[in-house]
Amino acid sequence: MEQLKAYKFRIYPTEEQEIFFAKTFGCVRKVYNLMLDERMKNYEESKLDVSKKQKFPTPAKYKTEFPFLKEVDSLALANAQRNYKCYDVHVQTYSLKDVHFWLLF
């Protein structure tokens, strides 16, 4: 029988690192919620026209409106977009579009 091992780590970030983490997590949350809000608005507008294809927004779109998004790592924002796409595909696959069930951070 194979035995699995696990390791637990605890980090003690400096004050500068804590600020960096807080900014990154906050910006990722903001981008995810902006994409979700835009998707909800597009869905409400095109609810009757099912042939209309909706595009996924990108984090770069929001950087002009919210300049603080330029301060954080772009890969973190790209992962927020990726997570949103996975959520959206899941909703469309299981036909939950008509259910008012939206994930917010």
Side-chain angles (χ1 to χ4, degrees), residues 75-93:
L75 290 177
L77 300 179
N79 279 327
Q81 179 188 19
R82 185 172 157 243
N83 292 340
Y84 173 74
K85 280 184 181 180
C86 290
Y87 163 74
D88 195 57
V89 167
H90 178 75
V91 167
Q92 288 182 359
T93 303

Side-chain angles (χ1 to χ4, degrees), residues 44-93:
E44 289 299 323
E45 290 173 2
S46 66
K47 192 185 271 188
L48 300 175
D49 187 13
V50 291
S51 65
K52 204 174 201 182
K53 182 82 174 165
Q54 294 184 2
K55 292 183 180 179
F56 286 107
T58 63
K61 177 181 179 180
Y62 304 116
K63 287 185 180 181
T64 55
E65 188 176 350
F66 302 101
F68 59 86
L69 293 175
K70 294 177 183 177
E71 296 176 14
V72 299
D73 186 25
S74 62
L75 290 177
L77 300 179
N79 279 327
Q81 179 188 19
R82 185 172 157 243
N83 292 340
Y84 173 74
K85 280 184 181 180
C86 290
Y87 163 74
D88 195 57
V89 167
H90 178 75
V91 167
Q92 288 182 359
T93 303

Side-chain angles (χ1 to χ4, degrees), residues 3-4 30 65 69 72 80 96:
Q3 187 175 11
L4 301 176
K30 178 74 172 171
E65 188 176 350
L69 293 175
V72 299
L96 296 174

